[in-house]
Amino acid sequence: MFKPYLYRIGFFILTLTLIFSLSSCASKKVAKVKKLEVEKEKVSEEEIPFIKSSQFNDPDNFCLLCHRTIYDQWKGSMHNNSYQDPVFQKVLAVASRDTNGKIDKYCAFCHTPIGVMSREFPPLDGSKLSEIAKKGIQCDFCHTISGSKGIGNCAFISSPGPVKRGPFKDSISVHDTAYSELHTKGEFCGMCHNVNHPENNLALEKTYTEWKEGPYPREGIQCQDCHMTPGPGVTKPNPGQASQFGPMRPHIYTHEFVGGNAVVTALLGSALHQMLAEERLKAAAQLEIVSSPKVTLGAKNEVQVKVTNKGAGHYLPTGLTEVRQIWLDFKVTSADGKVIYHSGKLDTDGEIDPKAVIYHTILGDKNGKPTEKVWFAEKILSDKRIPPKETVTEKYFFEVPVGIQLPLTIEVILKYRSAPQHLIDELFGKKKIILPIIEMTTAKAQIQ
Ligand code: HEC
Ligand code: HEC
Ligand code: HEC
Ligand code: HEC
Ligand code: HEC
């Protein structure tokens, strides 16, 4: 394909002036980043380096100029939203109140790394934060990570400057470039996608570990292959240009970073990211109904439901598992439409039937009482989730009265919600925000 080569050179000369004023730039390859390490390490506050926010380039007036497509993918992503996310803001305020501000920096380090390193955060209200720090996890923050201290609790080593690190060994640009193996591996994501309690080290989120111990790394499938390709699933190769001024390449990674969040993406105005999150959830699981073909009237009947995690590289659900809800809505109806059994429906407050099959974790506080407040968590009381590529079987028993009209229809829906409705009601006011429920997958069967 013909590329505007001369235009490209012209553009380079033009932007060189701009770049020189931003950095002391000499376009060269620099040394490879440190070898990957995979040990867990606690990051204490004293270790947080002091880096001014002005040392980072703003995506909106710099990276955008030459990486338009990538910019549009990242804008409105949960990485871009990580600080402004209203759910994070509300929960952080409660956490801060409960701990007299002790936990503020710990929480914010992952959600606005630039804000914490620049000491613009605290104060909690964000009144000292520069505009760039509010943009969350952004281009220059990720692409100037020069190494890692391990896995979890913000183990990144940040070295802002002219060198942008990425996956190419032959990249030529007006800014310096360097190949970084770290950026091509799940260990890069693992620096933040494993969260341990700052005092008792309890594993609060362990997406990286779930992936690492599962089947995907053995097949060479990294987080990037699912979350940085058009998806859902591993959609490689994805040919394109990393910059409109760069060459055509056989594969480039995308930057929407889509997970299951169809709430905050929508609240903060990205219909694209909302739609992609729903699409991803719908491709994650599979249901199968197993039952005897004959109904036994006047007695208990058994039906099994098999749930398979076919698309997620980690447990279903993962991440904030004490809050995320995946559950089975299981319904048996007679031929004339009478519901004879229903498990997993919502009550008028939006709470799930307590007897339903729910996939999530329950955290316990120091008295062993269930808590949704991670800062009070000291143990995991229960963990019922579905590991990657595994199937779990649920058994349902229901009475079929004599005289019922056959056949019976069994309908099962696997549902996803980002949080219990009561939690959102507590944070935002009763029914101010009604959380959407996404139907991940369904199955239907008839028995005579
Ligand atoms: C003046 C244009 C321009 C600007 C501004 C710019 N880039 Fe680039 N960048 C390029 C070009 C051209 C390439 C080469 C693309 C290729 O090799 O396919 C590139 C390559 C890269 C690479 C790949 C490096 C590698 O070795 O893998 C990264 C990462 C990158 N840029 C990040 C950024 C970030 C972050 C910003 C904002 C802080 C930015 N760029 C601003 C033009 C630019
Ligand atoms: C959460 C960290 C993160 C953020 C935020 C981020 N990137 Fe990347 N980016 C990566 C990783 C990781 C790769 C390499 C993936 C791989 O090779 O496996 C990458 C790849 C790239 C590349 C190489 C081409 C490609 O797509 O494969 C360019 C250029 C780039 N990013 C620019 C940007 C720009 C510009 C922004 C902001 C609009 C941005 N990135 C935001 C992590 C990030
Ligand atoms: C600097 C820390 C950091 C790094 C590095 C990082 N993430 Fe994230 N990521 C976050 C935070 C914080 C959020 C949550 C923001 C929120 O919900 O408010 C997030 C959100 C996400 C989401 C959206 C989750 C949802 O519920 O929809 C996905 C997907 C994701 N990250 C994937 C990745 C992948 C893949 C990588 C590696 C290429 C990566 N992240 C690297 C901190 C990080
Ligand atoms: C085989 C593909 C695949 C791989 C590999 C993979 N994921 Fe995912 N991920 C998914 C799918 C599908 C979903 C949506 C279902 C869900 O929410 O669990 C998802 C959801 C997520 C979420 C949102 C969870 C929620 O409900 O809030 C995060 C965060 C995330 N992934 C991060 C990662 C990280 C970090 C890695 C690597 C350590 C990774 N993923 C590896 C497919 C993958
Ligand atoms: C080591 C990095 C890290 C630290 C520290 C951290 N988080 Fe997060 N946080 C994440 C990641 C990654 C996600 C996304 C997981 C997912 O989507 O399931 C997330 C998601 C969230 C969400 C969900 C937002 C939404 O829209 O659903 C809230 C709320 C939150 N964090 C609050 C906190 C609080 C409060 C603290 C301190 C007690 C904290 N975080 C500390 C990495 C971190």
Side-chain angles (χ1 to χ4, degrees), residues 77-277:
S77 70
M78 287 312 295
H79 281 155
N80 177 201
N81 292 342
S82 61
Y83 174 73
Q84 297 197 332
D85 175 347
V87 181
F88 168 68
Q89 288 290 339
K90 292 275 189 190
V91 176
L92 177 65
V94 179
S96 179
R97 205 169 53 221
D98 285 356
T99 60
N100 288 322
K102 249 174 68 191
I103 206 147
D104 301 6
K105 263 197 194 168
Y106 163 78
C107 298
F109 198 17
C110 257
H111 287 260
T112 172
I114 296 180
V116 172
M117 291 191 295
S118 64
R119 310 297 191 260
E120 293 168 358
F121 183 98
L124 186 70
D125 65 2
S127 54
K128 290 226 173 78
L129 276 186
S130 55
E131 281 309 307
I132 192 169
K134 291 182 191 159
K135 290 171 193 168
I137 300 162
Q138 50 191 277
C139 319
D140 210 25
F141 169 72
C142 279
H143 287 290
T144 58
I145 289 177
S146 59
S148 158
K149 295 186 220 160
I151 291 299
N153 286 18
C154 309
F156 45 78
I157 298 169
S158 179
S159 311
V163 186
K164 312 305 174 201
R165 291 159 207 273
F168 301 140
K169 292 181 173 155
D170 60 348
S171 185
I172 299 169
S173 167
V174 282
H175 52 69
D176 291 356
T177 60
Y179 169 68
S180 161
E181 187 193 0
L182 178 62
H183 282 73
T184 68
K185 298 279 191 265
E187 282 66 30
F188 180 84
C189 319
M191 295 187 291
C192 301
H193 283 269
N194 255 22
V195 187
N196 288 70
H197 193 286
E199 274 155 20
N200 60 37
N201 214 29
L202 182 73
L204 302 169
E205 283 183 33
K206 48 178 192 175
T207 304
Y208 169 82
T209 308
E210 291 159 16
W211 165 79
K212 190 69 186 168
E213 290 172 353
Y216 288 98
R218 289 197 289 280
E219 298 167 22
I221 297 175
Q222 311 293 324
C223 317
Q224 288 86 334
D225 294 326
C226 288
H227 288 287
M228 296 187 73
T229 61
V234 180
T235 32
K236 274 167 99 171
N238 171 47
Q241 283 168 289
S243 158
Q244 58 271 42
F245 306 110
M248 239 347 240
R249 290 190 176 269
H251 176 77
I252 53 159
Y253 284 90
T254 53
H255 281 71
E256 285 96 353
F257 301 106
V258 177
N261 204 323
V263 185
V264 174
T265 45
L267 278 177
L268 295 184
S270 175
L272 170 74
H273 290 86
Q274 176 195 14
M275 186 269 287
L276 291 174

Side-chain angles (χ1 to χ4, degrees), residues 295 297 334-336 338 340 400-406 408:
V295 177
L297 291 172
S334 67
D336 55 349
K338 272 199 203 90
I340 64 169
V400 182
V402 183
I404 211 87
Q405 280 199 31
L406 300 177
L408 299 182

Side-chain angles (χ1 to χ4, degrees), residues 352-370:
I352 303 170
D353 154 16
K355 289 201 186 110
V357 174
I358 307 183
Y359 302 104
H360 66 164
T361 55
I362 299 174
L363 299 177
D365 65 12
K366 65 174 190 297
N367 302 317
K369 282 222 189 82

Side-chain angles (χ1 to χ4, degrees), residues 368-441:
K369 282 222 189 82
T371 179
E372 283 159 352
K373 297 179 164 182
V374 292
W375 49 98
F376 286 147
E378 295 204 353
K379 47 178 109 48
I380 292 165
L381 297 179
S382 76
D383 184 350
K384 182 178 168 62
R385 295 180 297 139
I386 314 161
K389 288 198 179 170
E390 285 191 24
T391 301
V392 297
T393 304
E394 310 299 344
K395 291 179 178 170
Y396 289 91
F397 298 95
F398 52 91
E399 187 87 27
V400 182
V402 183
I404 211 87
Q405 280 199 31
L406 300 177
L408 299 182
T409 301
I410 299 161
E411 260 185 288
V412 193
I413 313 172
L414 187 69
K415 295 185 168 177
Y416 177 97
R417 185 163 66 175
S418 287
Q421 186 63 46
H422 74 83
L423 190 71
I424 296 299
D425 287 354
E426 277 158 33
L427 295 173
F428 293 91
K430 194 139 179 87
K431 302 211 167 155
K432 280 272 166 23
I433 298 174
I434 303 289
L435 288 171
I437 293 165
I438 291 129
E439 296 193 354
M440 296 175 69
T441 180

